[in-house]
Amino acid sequence: GAGVSQSPSNKVTEKGKDVELRCDPISGHTALYWYRQRLGQGLEFLIYFQGNSAPDKSGLPSDRFSAERTGESVSTLTIQRTQQEDSAVYLCASSLIKGGNQPQHFGDGTRLSIL
Amino acid sequence: DAKTTQPNSMESNEEEPVHLPCNHSTISGTDYIHWYRQLPSQGPEYVIHGLTSNVNNRMASLAIAEDRKSSTLILHRATLRDAAVYYCILRDVGTSGTYKYIFGTGTRLKVLA
């Protein structure tokens, strides 16, 4: 079946512009995560959605970052007034239910480059 | 901060077993140990997880120390396709009961033909 889909796969933009990244989770997966991965680093948790519960935004690095998800469907991660330090791969993952033992299924990420 | 410690890199010969170690000395009684791997230019891929007992699946085996302060991922016969970064992760319960995974920098496995 279809896995987690992210778009665009690559995004190059100028410093100061806003960007919007999209994630289509696996159908039926109630939990959705966003991560950031800088070059040569591990994954950094950003935000978590679970059904209609309030999202866990504890990993968002600044108020320039925001994310939305409607129900159990598509999520968008928005970065306003981008900075060069925002350059990274942004990964989305979904899992079947909230719980530490359900595997997370990852997309291949959006590679964001800020000029 | 990552709760696990792994070697930065390891090498293995093709078709030989590989043992990837992980230390997690601060593990709590309810933490599961998860392993993911990340191939170049891809998102991470689930490999295996366990709590106390050793676990086997089609991809790998997970050996967990009796005191649970360390574990070892075992690839029984490494292939070139197993070259990846392997992450050992403990589930972290964050705000609102979120189950977060704190990824460290992992072990980069190189498989030699």
Side-chain angles (χ1 to χ4, degrees), chain A residues 33 37 42 56 100-101 104, chain B residues 32 34 36 38 95 98-99 101:
Chain A
Y33 298 77
Q37 187 172 32
D56 179 347
N101 302 317
Q104 294 191 14
Chain B
Y32 278 74
H34 294 251
Y36 283 74
Q38 187 173 23
T95 60
T98 307
Y99 290 98
Y101 293 81

Side-chain angles (χ1 to χ4, degrees), chain A residues 33 35 37 41-43 45 48 56 58 91 98-104 106-108, chain B residues 32 34 36 38 42-44 46 49 87 91 95-101 103-105:
Chain A
Y33 298 77
Y35 295 88
Q37 187 172 32
Q41 303 295 312
L43 278 70
F45 168 81
Y48 163 80
D56 179 347
S58 60
L91 289 155
K98 175 181 175 179
N101 302 317
Q102 295 295 330
Q104 294 191 14
F106 284 82
D108 287 334
Chain B
Y32 278 74
H34 294 251
Y36 283 74
Q38 187 173 23
Q42 294 186 23
Y46 167 80
H49 76 270
Y87 295 99
R91 177 193 62 187
T95 60
S96 304
T98 307
Y99 290 98
K100 296 190 292 189
Y101 293 81
F103 286 75
T105 53

